[in-house]
């Protein structure tokens, strides 16, 4: 059994604690939060769990094997570093750190200590992304052309990061997992309206072999949209994460271009076939992710969403921020 300490019981922390509490192979020993109201909630729901406002108590506790850091991004580096220095495995909320140098330092520290880092890229463990990964591995879509995502809603405004750092890590981690390649360059534009942080942004990633990805993130949308289009040479896919049942729809549609001699003899053929919605496994992604983290610890295996994966996402976020500052200028990775 892996014994956990959880730092942070705000928005996402209660979900982490609830899932760990339900896993037979895990035990929540202690929860830390600066808020007295949050600590009161923990004590009421989990009377057997130790509650504190001092994270150092969790870091130094010999009872605890792993620390879950579920706090604002600017706190991740110090908390994760303290956990690793005290011999604890670390589960860190996304994004991994505030910059790439911090991420690399934590990766090196974990390697020296022979400890595991998992970055909470929860979407990788959804039934939808699992199915999309399988379809790409099987070649069902053919040669990949594009990934186009819209992730917008009204709020929640963050005081410490812009909309890119808040919402884009979801898609950047998914793209990193599905494509298994690094973008050559990133271009991004954005604007601030209500405070000093961008509340709307458009990010374009250029990959080898003419693969392009586009992400629209927005805190000022009147409606919530979570829709991704993935286009391939053979088939095209629509993933609507707000759909209750048919989250993924695959379209047997495409374009074939042939040319004959002569400048104007370009022939375009459109293929329009059936649409089908594959069955998606219905399981809470965080449950699967935390179960996997525990398995990686006990089996001494590297998670797919390890520190290196977190670092790659942070580098893309930094590139997007630099490009926004230069009004969309290409930033090469």
């Amino acid at each position: 059994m892996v014994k956990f300490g959880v730092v942070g019981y705000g928005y996402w922390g209660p979900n982490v604690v609830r899932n760990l509490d339900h896993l037979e192979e895990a035990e929540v020993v202690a929860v830390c939060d600066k808020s007295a109201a949050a600590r009161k909630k923990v004590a009421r729901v989990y009377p057997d769990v130790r509650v504190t406002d001092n994270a150092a108590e969790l870091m130094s506790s010999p009872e605890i094997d792993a620390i879950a850091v579920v706090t604002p991004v600017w706190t991740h580096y110090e908390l994760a570093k303290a956990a690793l220095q005290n011999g604890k495995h670390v589960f860190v909320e996304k994004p991994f750190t505030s910059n790439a140098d911090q991420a690399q330092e934590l990766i090196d520290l974990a390697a020296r200590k022979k400890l595991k880092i998992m970055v909470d890229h929860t979407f990788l463990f959804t039934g939808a992304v699992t199915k999309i990964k399988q379809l790409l591995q099987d070649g069902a879509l053919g040669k990949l052309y594009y990934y186009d995502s819209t992730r917008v809603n009204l709020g929640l405004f963050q005081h410490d990061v812009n909309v890119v750092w808040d919402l884009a890590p979801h898609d950047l981690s998914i793209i990193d997992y599905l494509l298994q390649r690094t973008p050559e360059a990133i271009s991004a534009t954005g604007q601030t309206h209500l405070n000093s942080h961008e509340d709307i942004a458009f990010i374009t990633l250029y990959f080898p072999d003419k693969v392009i990805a586009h992400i629209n993130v927005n805190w000022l949308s009147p409606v919530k949209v979570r829709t991704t289009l993935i286009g391939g040479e053979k088939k095209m896919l629509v993933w609507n994460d707000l759909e209750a049942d048919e989250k993924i729809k695959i379209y047997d549609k495409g374009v074939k271009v042939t040319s004959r001699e002569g400048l104007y003899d370009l022939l375009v053929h459109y293929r329009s076939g059936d649409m089908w919605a594959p069955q998606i496994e219905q399981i809470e992604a965080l449950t699967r992710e935390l179960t996997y983290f525990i398995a990686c610890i006990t089996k001494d295996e590297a998670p797919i969403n390890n520190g290196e994966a977190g670092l790659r996402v942070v580098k893309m976020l930094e590139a997007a921020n630099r490009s926004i500052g230069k009004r969309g200028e290409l930033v090469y990775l």
Side-chain angles (χ1 to χ4, degrees), residues 18-19 22-23 122 283-292:
R18 172 177 54 82
N19 274 275
H22 289 166
L23 295 177
T122 317
I283 183 174
E284 186 174 355
L286 187 55
T287 302
R288 175 185 280 170
E289 183 180 28
L290 290 168
T291 301
Y292 174 62

Side-chain angles (χ1 to χ4, degrees), residues 166-186:
D166 180 42
L167 294 180
H170 293 307
D171 285 294
L172 294 176
S173 63
I174 293 166
I175 291 168
D176 179 71
Y177 175 60
L178 294 178
L179 270 58
Q180 298 284 295
R181 60 182 102 176
T182 302
E184 296 173 327
I186 290 178

Side-chain angles (χ1 to χ4, degrees), residues 14 191 254 295:
Q191 193 54 270

